[in-house]
Amino acid sequence: MSATSVGTPETFLGESEASIIIDGESTTAADGGTIETSDPANGTVLATLSAGGAADVERAVSSATRAFLHWQELSAAARGRLLNDVADSLDEHAEELATLETLDNGKPLTESLYLDVSLAAQVWRYFAGWCTKLAGETPPVSPPVGQAFVYTRREPLGVVGAIVPWNFPLLIASWKAAPALAAGNTVVLKPSELTSLTAVRLAQLAVEAGLPPGVLNVVTGYGVEAGQALIDHPEVAKISFTGSTATGRKIVMASAGNLKKLSLELGGKSANIVFPDADLTAAAEGALTGIFLNQGEVCCAGSRLFVHRDVHDQLVSELETAAKSLKLGHGLADDTEMGPLISAAHLQRVEDYVHGAQKSGATLVCGGERPGGALEQGHFLTPAVFTDVTDDMPIAVEEVFGPALAVLPFDNDDEVIRRANTSDYGLAAGIWTTDVKRAHRTAHAMQAGTVWVNLYNMIDPSAPFGGYKASGYGRDLGLESLLGYTQNKSVWIGLD
């Protein structure tokens, strides 16, 4: 499989085993290892990919190290033009990329096309614009003797390792690669072994767009092998990781060897709060999107829905009706609104939470079942809504990462803020109210990296995204993300 345009998903899948991209060329794993990737909607094997290991990571890092010198020599404007060209290529291949994403991940094609691929192109375009605007400062210094002029430089770190999850493969790869490259770094990307297809295709398209060889490398493989080798590599200056909090903690410990810089976007158990003065129709729609988008496999999913007791029953009734009406199916089917979960193991994990909640005393209002018929061979679970949930139940404490909503009543503002903030996580929160003072007061009180008011799951390349507490540190997107891929140098010039 050459790193040139392959045109259609079918052609790409048929030539996918050489899925490791190093120095702009497609290659296989050094030890010949492979991974099968399957369609979660029916279990069909889509492709056989290379399972890279430490030797392949070593080749990729060496390539990125060599390319780093050349990448820095390019003018900021030239780098910006190349990133814009990558964005244009994503737009041109949008249907192909969206189809690959849906086949690999299971999400509806409309989500893949209008959320994942479209926003990925916007991210590349946004950071392309920053290439010519990343500037230093001239601080007014007062040396004890003589005079001096001081300026600062924002300089790249070197080789960045980007490890991305299976829920938004192309999008999160873009969140990490685009700002890292804009800041002048080179990248070794390790996609999830469950959903590697669009990461490989992204690297191919970047090469076609003119990105110099070695600037963006991809090593497909398992986390315990390729991912660990990338984390441990002494020439990798930074790891940017999105995934579980448990894995994030392991990365922190492993980073001590060469004091790698880290950006960690980890788990979440986000509170979505509906006050009694809220527009309940909008709140119900927002709650539905907040938990069932991408089958609930979203780190910032609004999985804890706090509803004021005065409107609790009405909102639950609306949610039940809406959840029951969601159309499950293959992501490529025109009428599909929710696809399968990523794997059989993950389906079982989510199902265990559903059964556990019932055993703990929660009431299953609807869903939580495996559908039969044409969907029986896929990893499907009907959207579940629970009431009579207490704050200490696992379904209200732990990240389920699936289509399971816990509805919890509350009586006053102070109470719900306190309860919402008891979570170990702090990735996001939602607020539904028509009282602007209440909106600001509650938003300021929430211990979360992103707070949405009268909307949910909104993302823009210019707005930083990341967590508080066990949801990690560092940010994706926005200027803050870009600065996280730089180091600041002060230069003193004596004037006497």
Side-chain angles (χ1 to χ4, degrees):
M1 182 177 63
S2 62
T4 58
S5 179
V6 294
T8 67
E10 293 79 12
T11 304
F12 173 80
L13 293 173
E15 302 177 351
S16 58
E17 187 170 333
S19 59
I20 296 174
I21 312 295
I22 297 175
D23 261 339
E25 298 292 334
S26 298
T27 184
T28 56
D31 64 1
T34 59
I35 306 171
E36 285 188 342
T37 186
S38 301
D39 183 341
N42 52 33
T44 302
V45 175
L46 296 169
T48 299
L49 307 177
S50 292
D56 305 292
V57 169
E58 179 64 39
R59 288 190 294 149
V61 172
S62 295
S63 171
T65 301
R66 294 190 300 271
F68 178 63
L69 300 175
H70 172 63
W71 190 235
Q72 286 189 96
E73 291 173 355
L74 290 181
S75 69
R79 288 201 305 271
R81 285 193 296 271
L82 286 170
L83 297 195
N84 265 319
D85 289 343
V86 174
D88 291 343
S89 187
L90 294 183
D91 283 336
E92 291 166 6
H93 292 80
E95 291 189 11
E96 176 195 351
L97 290 164
T99 301
L100 289 172
E101 200 76 299
T102 289
L103 288 170
D104 212 13
N105 170 274
K107 66 182 68 183
L109 184 63
T110 51
E111 291 183 18
S112 295
L113 186 59
Y114 298 113
L115 174 59
D116 297 52
V117 179
S118 176
L119 186 53
Q122 292 176 46
V123 168
W124 283 90
R125 201 162 278 118
Y126 171 80
F127 284 109
W130 270 111
C131 289
T132 55
K133 301 170 186 66
L134 187 59
E137 299 176 333
T138 54
V141 297
S142 302
V145 177
Q147 300 181 64
F149 169 70
V150 174
Y151 63 92
T152 64
R153 286 171 48 85
R154 284 283 177 183
E155 298 184 346
L157 302 172
V159 178
V160 170
I163 303 176
V164 302
W166 45 258
N167 57 336
F168 293 95
L170 175 66
L171 183 57
I172 297 181
S174 298
W175 284 14
K176 299 181 184 306
L181 298 181
N185 304 280
T186 53
V187 173
V188 177
L189 174 63
K190 211 299 280 183
S192 167
E193 61 269 22
L194 297 175
T195 54
S196 297
L197 298 180
T198 51
V200 177
R201 191 66 181 114
L202 168 65
Q204 291 180 342
L205 293 175
V207 171
E208 292 177 32
L211 211 63
V215 170
L216 175 60
N217 305 275
V218 175
V219 179
T220 54
Y222 294 101
V224 294
E225 298 168 357
Q228 192 64 52
L230 190 59
I231 293 163
D232 292 339
H233 202 290
E235 292 180 29
V236 173
K238 175 173 179 169
I239 293 290
S240 182
F241 171 78
T242 295
S244 73
T245 297
T247 302
R249 289 192 174 103
K250 294 178 182 178
I251 291 174
V252 171
M253 291 186 287
S255 69
N258 68 338
L259 297 178
K260 284 182 175 64
K261 296 182 183 296
L262 300 176
S263 292
L264 305 173
E265 194 262 279
L266 307 176
K269 194 66 184 176
S270 300
N272 203 0
I273 303 170
V274 181
F275 288 101
D277 62 303
D279 178 336
L280 291 189
T281 300
E285 184 178 343
L288 201 75
T289 301
I291 185 60
F292 298 133
L293 178 75
N294 200 41
Q295 301 79 247
E297 296 169 329
V298 181
C299 51
C300 57
S303 54
R304 291 185 297 153
L305 183 66
F306 289 94
V307 184
H308 193 278
R309 203 174 300 275
D310 289 350
V311 296
H312 175 275
D313 292 351
Q314 180 182 347
L315 188 63
V316 168
S317 177
E318 292 191 30
L319 287 171
E320 178 184 4
T321 300
K324 287 180 176 178
S325 71
L326 286 175
K327 174 69 173 177
L328 274 64
H330 195 291
L332 295 182
D334 291 338
D335 56 351
T336 294
E337 296 175 291
M338 197 173 94
L341 299 180
I342 189 64
S343 67
H346 188 59
L347 170 60
Q348 185 61 60
R349 178 181 182 274
V350 176
E351 198 173 34
D352 287 346
Y353 274 106
V354 170
H355 295 159
Q358 292 175 283
K359 291 177 181 178
S360 298
T363 299
L364 180 60
V365 176
C366 64
E369 300 176 339
R370 299 191 188 198
L375 304 183
E376 189 173 2
Q377 299 304 312
H379 311 313
F380 291 92
L381 192 71
T382 56
V385 177
F386 283 96
T387 58
D388 301 313
V389 178
T390 59
D391 291 347
D392 60 347
M393 291 182 182
I395 201 165
V397 175
E398 300 172 14
E399 186 177 36
V400 177
F401 220 67
L405 177 64
V407 184
L408 305 102
F410 71 92
D411 293 299
N412 61 68
D413 294 26
D414 291 341
E415 171 207 344
V416 74
I417 290 170
R418 175 183 56 78
R419 291 170 62 194
N421 283 337
T422 57
S423 175
D424 290 338
Y425 298 106
L427 189 56
I431 299 167
W432 300 87
T433 179
T434 55
D435 183 335
V436 67
K437 292 181 180 179
R438 170 180 271 161
H440 284 291
R441 183 172 61 247
T442 307
H444 295 176
M446 297 306 298
Q447 296 171 10
T450 295
V451 180
W452 292 292
V453 179
N454 295 330
L455 43 74
Y456 206 92
N457 275 337
M458 291 294 163
I459 299 290
D460 187 90
S462 64
F465 183 82
Y468 285 17
K469 301 188 288 187
S471 291
Y473 48 77
R475 291 293 182 267
D476 288 315
L477 304 178
L479 175 59
E480 191 169 351
S481 169
L482 185 70
L483 296 181
Y485 292 101
T486 69
Q487 48 199 345
N488 209 4
K489 175 184 288 182
S490 295
V491 179
W492 287 70
I493 307 294
L495 300 180
D496 292 334

